[in-house]
Every structure is written in C-alpha cells, then in structure tokens.
Amino acid sequence: MPKKAKRTKDKQKLSLLQKLSLFFFNRPRTTALIWLIMAVFGFASYQTLLQREGFPSVETPFAISNGTYLVNDPSKIDKEVSKPLSETILEEDGVKSVQTTSQAKFYNIIISYEENIHPETKCKEISGKVANEKILPPDATFSIEPIKFGFNDRGDDLIISIHSENGSTKDLVEKAKYLETFIKSKNIPEVDTLTVISPFESAFNPTTGQTETAQKSFDRYGAREGGENKFYNSVIIGLKAKGGTDNLELNDAVMQAISEAEKTSEFENYQASISASYAPEIRAQIDELQKVLLEALAAILVVGSIVIAIRASVLTVISLITVLAIVNGLLYLIDYTLNTITLFSLILGLALMIDDTIIMVEALDAQRRRQKNAAKAVAVATGKVSRAMMAATLTAILSFVPLIFVSGILGEFIRAIPVTIIAALFISLLVALVIIPLFARFLLLSKQQMKSANVGNFTAGIEHYIAELVAKPMLLARHSKAKLASVSAFAIIFSFIFIGAGAFLFQKVTFNIFPSSKDTNKLTVNVNFAPDTDIESAQKIVDEVDEVVAREIGENFNQASYYGESNQRAATLTINITDYKNREITSQELVAQLDSALSDFNKANVSVAQLDVGPPPAEFAVQISSSEKRTQALALSREVAKFLENTELKRTDGSIAKVKNASGGEENVYTRNDNVEYVATTATFEDTDTTTLVSLAQNAVEKEFDRERLSEFGLSPEDLNFSFGQEDENQDSFNTLAYSFPIVMIAIYILLVFQFRSFIQPILIFMAIPFSLFGITLGLYLTDNPFSFFAMLGFFALIGLSLKNTILLVDFANQSRRAGKNPVDAIHEALAERFRPLVATSLTAIVSLIPLYLTSPFWESLTVVLIFGLLSSTFLVITVFPYYFLAGEYARLQTKRLYNKIRK
C-alpha cells in the first residue's frame, strides 16, 4: 500500500477525541497562547477580581415582624394584634406558615414563605395590606422585613459595639448616634445601611394616655484586655453591606473610621469595637484552605514522582494548576465569590480532577516507550484512554447533579459545590486532551526523552510485580474451567465478606444530618429567664453569667457580644475564642467546662453550645393546642417537660441519651402557629446526634401520652403536634439526596450502556460502589464521625472516583477482547497495563485530601468517607474485580450462545 494511502487510512481511523488532541498538539504556538490567556485571566480572577466572603450570600425564605402595644396584657396583644395579623398574612399567596409570640408589651411574628417567593417584595405587600386594611389598634406598631443571613435577626454583616466603663445605656445610645453620623460622613462605598440598634422603643400607652419609652433589649460587650476578660454595658450599630461587597475591604474601612472617631473629643472615655465581622473568619478560612491546596499539590507532586515519574508528576501539577486557574476565571464570569464553599470545592475537585490528568499523563508516558514519533504517541495514548476518560468524567458529573436540586436554605448554601466541581471536571477533561499534550511535547515527548524512554524504572518494576501477583491465581487456573470457577467463586465470596462487614459496621455508626464539629472558634451561652423576669433583673442575671464565662474560658477568650438582641425573655452570648490551631483545649471541652460551672446556676435556665457553621441545632418542641383550653394545655405542657427530663432515650445500638433541659409553657406568653393557639414544651439534648434524638423523643412522648393519658387533661392526640425547627428542613434536604441516589444510578447506567454497548458490564462497573462501603463505615466508626449530610456529600463524590477504576479496567479489557484475546488474558492485560494509573489516581486523590482532613474539623466526615472509601474500593477492584469481569464475560457468552440457539 502506498505511504500516502496508508496515512489517509490511519487518519480515517482516528476518533474525534484523537483528532482534537492532535489538532492542538500540531499547533503549539496557538495552543500555548490560548493556555496563557486563560491561565493569566484565572490567576487575576483569584488574586483580585473575585470578591471575598466567608460563606455564600443566601436569601432566606423568612421574614420577621416586631412591634409594640403597651397594654401590659399578653392575652390582649394576642387577640387584638397577633391573631388578626396571622389571619391577614396567611391569606397571602406564597406564605407557608406564620408563628406569633405575644408578651406583655411586645409581639413577634416569624413568617415562612414558599421557595419561589421573593421575601423583600412580599414583605412590602404585607406591610401595605396591614396599613390599608387597618387591622391593628391605632396604638400598635408594626414593621416587617426579610430575615437575612447575618449576625442577628436583622441580617447585619458587621456589628460595632459602643462601650464604656461607667456609661449609662442612654449615654451609650447618644455616642452610638454620633459614631453613626461620623462613619456615614466617610462615604464608605461598601456600606448599604448603618443603623443604631436602640434598646429603647417609644409608643402610646392607651391605659395612661401618654407616650412612654420602654427598654426592650440590652447588650454587653466582652474583650480580653491586659490579660483579663472584661465585660461592658454596650449599645450596637448594625451595618448591612451592599451586594457584591468585599468583606475584607469593608472591615478595614470601618476600622479606619472608628479609629478616627475615637480620637475626637466627643468620643472621649468611650470605645468602639467591631464585635462581629466576617473579615477575620474569611482571612483565616482562605489562608487555611489555600495552605491545604498548596499542600495537596505538593503531595501530588511527590506521590506522582514515586508512582509514575518526576517529569510526569510535574506535568500533572502544571495541568492541575491550569484547571484551577481556569475554574477561578469561570467563577468570576458567572458572578460567584471566593468563599469557604468555592475554595473547598476546588480542593475536593482536585481529588476528582486528578483522574483525567494522571490517566492522560501516564498513557503518554507509556507510549513514549513504545513509539518513535511524538505525534504517534499522542494519537495512540489518546485512543487508548479517551473513551474511558470520557465515561469516568461524565459519571462523576452525573453523581454531582442531584446536589444542584437540594431544596431549602441548605440547597442555596451548598449549590456552589456541584457547580464548581462540574465545571472543574469538564475543564479537566479538556485540559487533559488539549493542554497536556502541549506540555508533554517538551517534558515527555522531546527527542531526548523519547530516546531515553526505555531506561528501567524501579517503581514500575514493583508495580508490574504486584499486578502479576494479583493476577497469578487466574493465570494458573485459566486452562481448567473448574479451577477458574473455584478461584472466581472464592474471590467473589471474599468481596462479599468485606461488603457484609461494612453493613455490620454501619449499625455502629450514628446518624445525624448536621452534627457538631469536633472543634470550632465560637461558643454560645443561651440564657432563658423565668416568665416574670423584667428587663432590669435580666441584665443583673446576665452580668453574673458573664462573670462565670470570663473566669472559665480564661486565656482562650477573645471577645463576646449579645449583638443587642437580649431581652427579658432570653439572651444569647456569642463568644469568639482563640483559633483552634493555637489552643490545646477543644471547643467541646470548653463547652463541658462552662456547663459544669453553670450547672448550679438557678436564677435562669442556662445552656452552652459551640457555634457550628451550618444550620442551627434543632430544638425539640411539643406543641399543644390551647384554643379554649389554655389551662389544660399549660398543665400538660409542664407534665411533658417533667417526663422528658426524667426519661432515658435508648438508641438502636443500646446506648442511652438524655434530655439536657426541658421547659413547659409560660402563662404570660401566648403563641400561635398558623393562627392556632398553642402552648409549647421545648427540650434540648445532652448529645449531638440530633436527628436520631428528636425521633426517639417524639416516640417516647407519643407512647407516654396516649389517648387515655391525654383525656385526663381534657385533650386528645389531635391536640398534640411536634416541631423540630430547622431539623425538619434538614431532613427534607437530606431526603432529596437519598431519593436522588437511585435516579443517579439509572442515569449513569444508561450512560455506560451506550458507552460499552452492554447491559451486563455497567452492572459490573457498579461493583466499585459496594466495594467502598467497608472503608466508609470503618472510617466513620474509627474517627467517631456520624453518617451526616457531609458524609453523604462525600459518598456522591466517591461514586465518580470509585467507578473510574472499574471503567478503566473494563474499557481496556474490551480493547484486548476486540484484539482477539480470551477473557482471562484480556483482564490480565488490562490489570497489568492499567495498574499504574489506577493506583496513581487513587493514591494521589487520597493524599490530596489528607491535608484537608488534618486541618479542618468542619470537613472531616466528608474527607473520611472519601479517603477510607477509596482505599477499600481500590483494594477490592485490584484484587477481586477481575473475577467479576470473568463471571460477566461467561454470562455474556452463555447468553449469546442461548440466543443463537433460539434463532436456529
């Protein structure tokens, strides 16, 4: 055959992906220019263009209404204000629920909207309707605004505490107004609103016929000064930032303004401190995750050098950095910010992006030993791995798609994870096919490198030896069907022992959708006052609690504030403690220490907790309908509280949990849920597996207070309802993932059926998932992590990582089968050829996640699932999966013979 005809024939045989790689490989200058533009834009986006924030800004489907009616009668406020407001608001389209609380002079309403409702627009509609229809008494005040993520119910993004050694609250309000005016005069561009949160409210009292000013709230600011922890009376200024604000720049500008104001004579003897800001956390989080990212890249470089080759590992790291840069550029273009979620997504994506990169690099490294021409090496390498790369990448992408559709606040909060990772996976595939061959031209496929390609590699020899050792049983038994069947049966039974052990260990792992982190940098102290407590008494009680806090936390104390939202019913102190990297005691140990010191405090109900990132912990509540039977409902409420405090909750594994605090309904507080009056018993738990405990507590209450027992109070089971607060939404969000799992599996199965043109092989490929179960459950059990939402998130990421291994083996074995080899020789060759990239991708993925596991307690359960699950899956794929392939080939051949026989 003439050379020209032969070249034409070879060219016609090239696949689309091979043509793509060769097109850019043969145009190095153009490709290099494209790479340079994208890389520079990506780095510029990361360094300067992307806005910095702690966590993504999320619009919550909630609103809050506060008001006064100075009649000093909670029942009158309930009937004349809360009840008509509930009726009016519930008539509005898109309103899901309305909860009201009425006290002697004030009322509070929390409104929950449907997800498709814009809270700010709906709040304006409700406000206009209430004003136009005049449903409230003339002397009652009304305001409504959306609840936004922030440090308080107002959704403030930064809080300034004005404090003084001896200043009265009224004096502090005046100084706060002065500081407000001073800061506004600086025209800080990032500031949207700046407001003094006055603890006083004026309203007309219809009883006295006069306008009265009543103190409705108070605040304290604590700081460590001169080796001591001190608390001051304070008043706060709340600041809301404009959309797209860089919180670091905002914080620096406000600090500069405060510094200037403190030097003026009007502010003498007073101080102002930023008591709440995202900036310190953002700096710490970004620094921490950047450090983890660099450590992961360094680990990949080292492991790649050992498992493959030094030049190949350098090429791998360059490619990964390229992908990260391009993804950052894309995040900027789609108006995302650089925050904890997107940075974490890049680190998690690193473990997934390694697959395409290493598979391509290893294939090129292997072909340079076999080919004399660089372009031929690229064409052959791409031809051998591109189909498997495409299948593995699309599989990984499909496994993240359900996370886009997670509902509720949580869905908005984590949506950046699937978006970022899916983008990274697409980009990593393109970089593997286009950019890697470009750099390989100089690092692997130069004439000098091609000449020295056959030099022996010690690591490669070890890898070949292990691969041969694993395949030895099937090679020895390949000439005997009985022996081969016996060896295969033993291997499959061996794998089922692992899977069974994983199922057994799963029973030992607790279940909690959002568990407490093992260590955080913030604590909260919740103080609930007795029903008859006035505002002055509440402040005195808080001062005593503050003294205990200051003494017990000691040198680990940084600053603290009540954020201006404490009143005669409750107060919540938020404490910033020393960063967990710089202290020996954990936040959980500090919580236990404070709990112990406050256990005998009898002037109020005090509970201590650590403040975790994510939804707040659920409060178990029993709601007892009290319409026309309030006395009976109050009596039952107190009985339920006593029962819960004295009840042991038994988990499925036999362990016991107890209720920490339980309180019955208050006589001078009236509450409604969707305009149904009720009395509530609330409880908190000693342990943190909230999802399990709320279910056990509900079962215990329903069992104890059955129809017969409720009849003693003149009530029925229909009068008893349960509320788990945020836990209800958490469970809905978690169920979205659980329900989507089979849909994802079906979608991946259909993809693999088209890819491999087989109905059996995709089922075999799926075996990588149960292979990982032993590692997942063992890892969670050994590290004392529950199966949680983030563990589930890790499991979805693991689907793509683990299936990649079986896809690689099946794809290469199929190539050998098409070349005429029998099933044993085909899977043996696949194992021998793919052993190195299979081990390299898994090992580098694991190593890249270890820095995150060691550094950040928040992401621990997710990294445990990935690391241990990948170890387990990779081990069983190497040792056992070849026998599943043989069983599948046997079934396929038998089916084919049966089909042919039927046709005849």
Side-chain angles (χ1 to χ4, degrees), residues 512-533:
N512 192 11
I513 295 177
F514 280 101
S516 296
S517 298
K518 292 184 178 180
D519 208 351
T520 68
N521 294 328
K522 288 189 177 183
L523 307 179
T524 60
V525 179
N526 297 298
V527 185
N528 292 293
F529 305 108
D532 56 349
T533 304

Side-chain angles (χ1 to χ4, degrees), residues 283-347:
R283 285 192 174 97
Q285 290 163 359
I286 290 177
D287 288 347
E288 180 180 86
L289 290 173
Q290 284 180 156
K291 181 172 175 287
V292 168
L293 195 58
L294 291 173
E295 289 173 347
L297 287 170
I300 291 168
L301 182 62
V302 172
V303 173
S305 298
I306 296 172
V307 178
I308 307 176
I310 294 176
R311 288 177 178 270
S313 65
V314 170
L315 178 54
T316 300
V317 171
I318 291 174
S319 303
L320 290 173
I321 293 173
T322 299
V323 176
L324 293 173
I326 297 173
V327 172
N328 276 290
L330 180 63
L331 291 177
Y332 172 74
L333 292 175
I334 62 176
D335 202 27
Y336 270 42
T337 63
L338 188 65
N339 55 61
T340 300
I341 298 298
T342 49
L343 270 173
F344 162 75
S345 301
L346 292 175
I347 295 171

Side-chain angles (χ1 to χ4, degrees), residues 98-116:
V98 177
Q99 291 186 318
T100 68
T101 302
S102 305
Q103 302 173 60
K105 298 179 181 180
F106 309 102
Y107 69 91
N108 172 274
I109 302 176
I110 297 176
I111 304 161
S112 174
Y113 298 123
E114 302 288 347
E115 286 188 38
N116 60 338

